[in-house]
Amino acid sequence: MTGTPREDGSAEQSFTQGELRRWRAAGFGREEATAWREAGVTDPGDARLWATAAATPATVTAWQRAGMTPADAVRWHELGVAPHDAARRHLAGERPRRVRWLARLVTPEPELPDPAVTQALRRLLRAGVPAAVARAYADAGWDGDEALEWARRRVDQGDARLFRTLGFTAAEAAALGRPALEVMAAWWGAVPLAEVAAWCAAGLTPEEASAQRGAGVTAEQAAVLRALSSFGADEALPPPGT
């Protein structure tokens, strides 16, 4: 069964008829809606709030990188605080408040972010990854596509790098629910590091894996158990935007 026909040729930025109606009801034409979605804003109501805060698809990154909600941005804007200053204050834990005009004058304009960082951030936001999680991956230098499965499962980006080095998939790492260093420490010396993911994802403890390996069971046989395990099921994914 095929889905609702799309109105343009882009797999990621295309619209269903219902989606386009929602954007039009919010006051956006197709081109504007596409620009907002490419900027990582997928909800027309959020786009209206960003626009109220004087953000555009080209400038909204300053707010997004700070993990701010559109409502936060509107409040800071109403108080006359510039986006880059508001973003800095938000990251420091401040809530929207009036800022003395002299303090505004001495706040330097930020350097423009690396385009690769912006691209990764927007790729993750379009996929429904929360801004704070997306920012951590983007700022750490992850490619958006490379980070997607890890970020969608809310795996800490530092843990993700180590889990990936050990051979775990994003779903397996999320199912473990433990820090990567803790997992590595538990398995240290039990089996070779290159085999940790296969034995662990097969459902064995380090002690069991060591005993099985000593009895002649190979990592390839453990990999069969790994493939049959429940780790990696898509059900482990949180709903978009949570």
Side-chain angles (χ1 to χ4, degrees):
M1 181 177 177
T2 59
T4 304
R6 297 281 178 172
E7 294 214 349
D8 62 35
S10 169
E12 187 166 52
Q13 295 304 321
S14 56
F15 295 90
T16 63
Q17 292 283 353
E19 289 168 343
L20 191 55
R21 281 196 297 270
R22 288 178 61 222
W23 281 95
R24 284 175 173 163
F28 299 100
R30 182 210 290 265
E31 290 185 5
E32 290 177 294
T34 298
W36 279 110
R37 292 192 0 159
E38 287 175 348
V41 181
T42 58
D43 183 272
D46 285 347
R48 286 192 67 176
L49 286 173
W50 286 123
T52 300
T56 69
T59 63
V60 72
T61 302
W63 308 100
Q64 293 169 326
R65 291 192 71 203
M68 298 174 71
T69 67
D72 288 330
V74 169
R75 184 62 180 142
W76 281 110
H77 176 70
E78 289 174 340
L79 293 168
V81 181
H84 66 278
D85 192 12
R88 179 181 64 83
R89 293 176 184 278
H90 181 85
L91 283 170
E94 293 185 33
R95 302 307 303 156
R97 63 180 180 84
R98 294 196 179 279
V99 178
R100 295 173 58 185
W101 68 270
L102 186 58
R104 299 181 201 173
L105 292 177
V106 298
T107 302
E109 289 279 351
E111 294 183 5
L112 292 175
D114 185 322
V117 172
T118 298
Q119 184 178 15
L121 178 68
R122 290 181 169 180
R123 172 70 180 93
L124 295 173
L125 290 172
R126 287 198 299 268
V129 174
V133 178
R135 184 183 70 249
Y137 275 87
D139 287 348
W142 284 73
D143 171 83
D145 290 332
E146 181 183 53
L148 183 57
E149 290 306 308
W150 298 92
R152 288 173 67 199
R153 289 176 168 83
R154 315 294 190 265
V155 179
D156 174 83
Q157 70 83 20
D159 281 342
R161 287 193 185 279
L162 184 50
F163 274 126
R164 192 173 57 165
T165 299
L166 291 173
F168 286 89
T169 67
E172 289 166 349
L176 284 174
R178 298 164 62 193
L181 281 175
E182 181 181 311
V183 173
M184 188 170 72
W187 281 85
W188 191 267
V191 299
L193 285 181
E195 298 180 11
V196 168
W199 291 103
C200 183
L204 278 71
T205 66
E207 294 75 18
E208 290 169 340
S210 180
Q212 289 292 322
R213 199 171 186 275
V217 180
T218 67
E220 288 73 19
Q221 290 170 310
V224 174
L225 292 175
R226 177 189 191 184
L228 295 174
S229 75
S230 60
F231 283 14
D234 285 341
E235 286 79 359
L237 274 173
T242 60

